[in-house]
Amino acid sequence: MDQLARQLQKIREERQLSLRSLAELAGVSPSSISQIEAAQVSPSIATLEKICNALGVPIATLFDEPTDGPVPIIVRAKERRRVYSAGSHASIEPLARGFARKKMQPILLTLDAGGECGEHPYTSADGEEFAMLITGQAQFEQQDHQHTLEEGDAVYYDPRQPHNWRNVGRKPAVLLIVVAQ
C-alpha cells in the first residue's frame, strides 16, 4: 500500500492537481484521496480505477517504477508486488513492471470468496481489456448483463463501458487481465 500511495501522490503532483481537483475529476471525496495517499485506507479496485482514469494512467502505473531497461522483462513470482484491497476483498499483482512504454498492462486479480471490484459497475481507461479466469468462478457484468465464467473461460471487452467483476464461488477466483492502451 505504501508504494501505491507514493505513486499516486507523485503522479497527481506531476499533473499539478490538488487533492480537490483530482477528487472532482475522479468523482470521489478529497478526504478519500488524502487517506489513500497517506496509506491510511484500502480503497476498492473500482475507486482506484476512477482515480487512474482521472489521471489518465492505467491502474498498473500505481505499482510501477518505470525505467527504460532492457527487454525482456522477467517478473519472478516471488518478486511480484501485491496490493490487497480490503474494500474489494481482492488483490492486484502487476505482471510486468519497469518498462516505461508498455502498450499492455498484464495484471493478476485475485478475488476472495464474495469479493468484487466495486459495489457498482465502473469504467476503466481508454483501450481494450482481455480477461481469462485461471481458477475459481467469477461473474462478469457489463451493460446490465451478467456472465458467469468458469476456469479457462475468457472475455474480451470495452473497459469504457461500465463493468464489474465478482467472485460467485466458494474459493478464490484468479483472473489474468490484460489492459491494452
Side-chain angles (χ1 to χ4, degrees):
M1 230 18 215
D2 290 336
Q3 166 68 23
L4 182 144
R6 284 192 304 273
Q7 276 294 95
L8 176 58
Q9 184 174 9
K10 178 183 168 201
I11 295 167
R12 179 181 59 79
E13 289 173 351
E14 284 173 353
R15 285 169 174 62
Q16 299 179 333
L17 291 170
S18 67
L19 287 170
R20 180 162 284 141
S21 299
L22 177 56
E24 189 174 306
L25 289 170
V28 299
S29 71
S31 65
S32 291
I33 293 177
S34 176
Q35 289 173 333
I36 294 167
E37 285 186 358
Q40 295 173 339
V41 297
S42 176
S44 73
I45 294 167
T47 298
L48 289 177
E49 286 279 5
K50 287 179 185 179
I51 293 168
C52 287
N53 284 345
L55 291 169
V57 298
I59 194 168
T61 304
L62 297 180
F63 307 92
D64 218 349
E65 293 176 21
T67 64
D68 285 321
V71 177
I73 298 169
I74 307 294
V75 179
R76 305 278 180 209
K78 63 184 178 194
E79 297 170 355
R80 289 195 301 242
R81 292 188 176 142
R82 180 180 181 264
V83 173
Y84 185 77
S85 168
S88 292
H89 300 284
S91 65
I92 303 172
E93 297 175 64
L95 300 176
R97 65 175 204 254
F99 184 59
R101 295 178 300 273
K102 288 188 292 289
K103 291 182 174 70
M104 295 184 301
Q105 302 285 336
I107 298 168
L108 200 62
L109 171 66
T110 302
L111 295 165
D112 294 340
E116 61 186 348
C117 285
E119 290 180 33
H120 307 286
Y122 61 95
T123 58
S124 302
D126 285 345
E128 301 169 337
E129 288 188 18
F130 167 85
M132 180 176 178
L133 185 63
I134 306 297
T135 62
Q137 187 179 46
Q139 185 178 73
F140 175 72
E141 177 183 354
Q142 189 171 45
Q143 298 178 343
D144 297 324
H145 291 72
Q146 296 167 349
H147 309 274
T148 301
L149 278 69
E150 304 290 335
E151 292 181 9
D153 291 347
V155 60
Y156 186 88
Y157 56 99
D158 181 347
R160 296 170 297 177
Q161 299 296 319
H163 62 281
N164 201 3
W165 286 101
R166 184 173 295 111
N167 182 342
V168 293
R170 291 192 171 134
K171 63 180 186 174
V174 179
L175 291 135
L176 170 63
I177 299 177
V178 180
V179 180
Q181 307 311 169

